[in-house]
Amino acid sequence: MSDIRKEIQEKIRNGDFNCEKELTLSIISGKWKIVILWHLGVEGPHRFSELQRLFPKITHKMLTNQLKELIEDGIVHREVYPEVPPRVEYSMTELGMTLLPIIQMMYEWGKKRMAAIKKEMGLAEAEAEEVSKKG
């Protein structure tokens, strides 16, 4: 468990907690959590290997840790099917699904911001070309 998560849990236990945004961020913070939640929430249950294929740069350990924390927080459910070999699927819990609108809003904001940045870069590149042609 990360230090920030331990710190938040300790604050809640001691009654010292006073920022709900900090709690939300402690649950969804992590390089891969938001995208894991988006895929599970939008696409439905995934097996571990499917999640690994979605994120080729994630290490086995990192994916395991991110899923473990999401499970501990009640956001993701891990289902082991009694088959040979055992099949394990990860899915969003009912509580996890309540985060989906927030994640969707973050996605939409990021999409708009990325388009604006690309447009600004395009304009800057066009201006630089214009200056170099004049110079």
Side-chain angles (χ1 to χ4, degrees):
M1 186 180 308
S2 69
D3 290 337
I4 190 165
R5 290 169 44 78
K6 287 178 187 174
E7 183 181 323
I8 297 296
Q9 288 179 351
E10 190 65 29
K11 283 182 179 181
I12 292 170
R13 269 193 291 280
N14 294 335
D16 296 333
F17 187 78
N18 60 5
C19 182
E20 292 77 7
K21 295 175 291 299
E22 188 178 2
L23 172 63
T24 305
L25 287 174
S26 75
I27 290 172
I28 63 174
S29 68
K31 184 174 182 178
W32 301 97
K33 284 184 182 178
I34 295 290
V35 290
I36 290 168
L37 293 173
W38 189 87
H39 283 284
L40 293 178
V42 173
E43 299 170 357
H46 280 64
R47 296 176 78 167
F48 188 89
S49 59
E50 293 170 338
L51 291 169
Q52 270 192 311
R53 278 193 292 278
L54 287 171
F55 318 116
K57 293 184 180 182
I58 194 170
T59 64
H60 186 276
K61 182 179 178 183
M62 177 61 76
L63 181 56
T64 300
N65 288 341
Q66 300 278 276
L67 287 167
K68 183 179 174 187
E69 288 181 5
L70 290 166
I71 291 166
E72 287 173 0
D73 289 328
I75 306 300
V76 168
H77 174 72
R78 180 179 186 265
E79 182 76 31
V80 180
Y81 294 92
E83 301 172 357
V84 179
R87 178 172 50 108
V88 179
E89 283 187 346
Y90 296 89
S91 59
M92 294 280 273
T93 63
E94 191 174 323
L95 177 62
M97 290 303 285
T98 64
L99 283 170
L100 201 52
I102 297 166
I103 294 166
Q104 191 66 34
M105 288 173 68
M106 291 173 72
Y107 167 76
E108 293 297 329
W109 185 90
K111 187 174 162 182
K112 288 177 185 173
R113 184 63 189 133
M114 191 177 295
I117 290 169
K118 286 180 180 179
K119 185 177 179 182
E120 291 167 7
M121 289 172 55
L123 292 175
E125 289 171 10
E127 288 173 4
E129 284 180 36
E130 194 67 31
V131 170
S132 69
K133 287 178 185 176
K134 289 180 182 178

